[in-house]
Amino acid sequence: MTAQIIDGKALAEELRQSFKARVEALAAKGHRPGLVVILVGEDPASEVYVRNKVNGCLAIGMHSEKITYDAAVDQTTVLKKIAELNADPNIHGILVQLPLPKHFDEEAVLEAIAAEKDVDGFHAENVGALAQGNPRFIPCTPYGVMKMFEKGNVDLTGQEAVVIGRSNIVGKPMALLLINAGATVTVCNSRTKDLLAHTRRADILVAAVGKPRFVTADMVKPGAVVIDVGINRLPDGKLCGDVDFDGCKEVAGQITPVPGGVGPMTITMLLANTIEAAERKAGL
Ligand code: NAP
């Protein structure tokens, strides 16, 4: 059996096209959605991510700008800028690219963003709302995964879902979304005793580990939906996921590739969150 591929690239493109009309409707009422991305330091990977976020906005008619700081900037300067942006009526979304340099208190910076402009969904108030099943902003990567389930007609109710990874940006919010959708959820981490026993009974398996080809075919239940969140750079420069795609596609029922799977969905859902923020502000 060869699994059906859930094509994140195609879905991302379809969604971005559909966003254009919403952006124009908002702009016509004087609320063109605006996103500011703050980048501290010169990490090359972060620079690429930030450029893609800004360009993604501009391509669908949104306003977007990047604010960059030298790695040595003090936290107070960045907090002052966030306060200014919180008060700016033309800005609907504020995102601070992580990771921040070591002298920053990451939590304090994320909490400084007004909760109604926190389009990454990392503010404690928004995390709490998600945990209560009443989300305001869903963190972009797991939000993208939920859209992929929708596209693949995956009914999550009553399904055994296993998430490998418990990070604040992927694993935990993913687990909360699956719980809210009615799945029975297990979250595994590096100390999980018998990982295989968990993954083998998963109808839905989400890998957010950060280790190339960590999930192998023997770990997958036949017919399972396998979502690969991982983005790993191999020594030859190629990208690969946390799932051994070639092996697992022979066992799974549906599977996401890397590249072209969850990756393109993440920025797409950032656009979605910023548009939603602007729609809320416009009273739509
Ligand atoms: P992270 O913060 O490093 O978390 C990795 C998680 O995997 C941790 O909870 C860790 O457990 C767990 N883990 C590590 N080894 C394990 C093992 N042997 N068995 C079970 N669990 C294990 O990473 P992240 O930020 O969640 O990202 C995960 C992957 O997704 C990375 O490849 C990242 O690049 C990618 N990512 C992709 C997107 C996208 O847009 N597609 C967005 C974000 C991240 P402990 O907590 O016990 O250490």
Side-chain angles (χ1 to χ4, degrees), residues 164 195 205 207-220 226 228-248 255 258-259:
I164 317 177
L195 185 65
L205 181 60
V209 194
K211 294 188 174 163
R213 302 191 184 108
F214 179 82
V215 174
T216 46
D218 59 312
M219 295 168 75
V220 176
V226 178
D228 189 353
V229 177
I231 301 180
N232 307 291
R233 180 88 48 198
L234 297 173
D236 65 4
K238 286 193 182 139
L239 284 185
C240 107
D242 290 346
V243 172
D244 173 23
F245 180 80
D246 290 339
C248 291
I255 192 166
V258 176

Side-chain angles (χ1 to χ4, degrees), residues 162-166 186 188-189 195 199 205-209 214-215 219:
V162 172
V163 180
I164 317 177
R166 55 171 166 176
T186 304
C188 300
N189 60 64
L195 185 65
T199 64
L205 181 60
V206 180
V209 194
F214 179 82
V215 174
M219 295 168 75

